[in-house]
Amino acid sequence: ARHWLLRHTFVFDANLGMLKRQVELGAGATQWPAAAECTHQRIGDRIFVFPHSDCRVYDFEGVWVLDTATCRLSPVSFVGHQPTNTNAQIMAIENTLVIIPQKEDLSHDYSQVCLIDTAPPGTQMKCQLLTLQSVGGLPTHDSRLFQVGTHIYAVSSNRRHSNVVGVLSPLEGKGQAYAAAFRGQSTDGFDVEVSGTDLVFVPYDANGRRCVGDISILDCTLLQ
């Protein structure tokens, strides 16, 4: 496992190709965060760092934000709803961080989706629990999430439900499931890639070989 040592972080100016300066502690910080496995999301000049355990259970009480413009690292606090420490997928849509938690069986829990507004200055951010409309039928078990623009697409890895595509619009508070007619319905699974505004479905056979003759392309703009 690779642990992040934030106390040794540097910011480089990519335009000049030279070292800018070492990151320092910012407002609200009294000591450097402990080394931990982390993921991150970038919004504008700020990078949000989310520590998690080896099992990818996130510690939402230990979120930090790095302001690359000032080279300051500060702890983040939430106003309103406090996200539960759990497995989750985190995505950035415009100025909003979207947290989609997972249950113990790793199915996505769309009833506990959180929105974090990062637009206001400072490190105290408003977090609200999102009530999605029309979430029935969305893929939850063995599903993968892909972001295209301001929408999140849920695709089931389950062979019986592989033709179901869920569309989440967190900023609009909506969720909708669609049935997609893919070419060469594979019973052995498929890979999904994002290409612009399209989702590309590449099925593979029982030997794990990609069936390039049966590739399907889903134009995501048609489902918005």
Side-chain angles (χ1 to χ4, degrees):
R2 296 183 177 181
H3 291 73
W4 289 32
L5 298 174
L6 295 177
R7 67 168 58 244
H8 299 304
T9 303
F10 287 86
V11 174
F12 290 85
D13 188 327
N15 294 318
L16 299 178
M18 60 183 293
L19 176 68
K20 189 173 183 180
R21 67 175 187 264
Q22 186 173 8
V23 169
E24 301 176 352
L25 289 176
T30 57
Q31 59 183 5
W32 290 97
E37 292 185 69
C38 300
T39 59
H40 74 282
Q41 288 289 344
R42 178 173 180 173
I43 297 179
D45 291 332
R46 295 187 290 178
I47 298 174
F48 295 85
V49 180
F50 301 88
H52 59 78
S53 68
D54 294 340
C55 300
R56 298 192 72 83
V57 174
Y58 283 94
D59 176 14
F60 289 109
E61 296 178 355
V63 179
W64 291 74
V65 58
L66 169 60
D67 188 328
T68 59
T70 62
C71 295
R72 298 282 182 175
L73 181 70
S74 304
V76 173
S77 60
F78 299 114
V79 177
H81 180 76
Q82 175 63 42
T84 303
N85 292 346
T86 184
N87 293 84
Q89 287 191 248
I90 305 171
M91 298 182 177
I93 299 180
E94 296 182 349
N95 290 320
T96 302
L97 290 168
V98 182
I99 300 175
I100 303 177
Q102 294 172 283
K103 301 178 182 179
E104 292 184 0
D105 62 359
L106 299 184
S107 62
H108 291 104
D109 187 358
Y110 298 119
S111 67
Q112 296 295 316
V113 175
C114 296
L115 299 184
I116 299 174
D117 184 7
T118 69
T123 59
Q124 191 175 65
M125 299 179 186
K126 181 181 179 180
C127 178
Q128 63 175 331
L129 189 64
L130 177 64
T131 302
L132 285 171
Q133 301 176 9
S134 303
V135 296
L138 292 178
T140 56
H141 292 80
D142 301 320
S143 59
R144 293 168 282 178
L145 301 181
F146 302 90
Q147 181 180 344
V148 179
T150 59
H151 301 271
I152 297 173
Y153 295 82
V155 179
S156 177
S157 299
N158 190 305
R159 298 174 184 176
R160 293 175 298 175
H161 306 292
S162 59
N163 66 327
V164 177
V165 177
V167 182
L168 303 178
S169 306
L171 302 186
E172 301 173 11
K174 298 179 181 179
Q176 183 67 48
Y178 296 87
F182 297 122
R183 294 187 57 187
Q185 289 287 340
S186 172
T187 59
D188 297 291
F190 53 87
D191 293 327
V192 182
E193 301 289 342
V194 177
S195 177
T197 59
D198 297 331
L199 288 180
V200 182
F201 294 79
V202 185
Y204 50 83
D205 60 21
N207 295 317
R209 295 174 299 190
R210 292 190 170 190
C211 306
V212 294
D214 289 327
I215 290 177
S216 298
I217 298 178
L218 177 63
D219 183 352
C220 296
T221 61
L222 300 177
L223 303 182
Q224 298 175 10

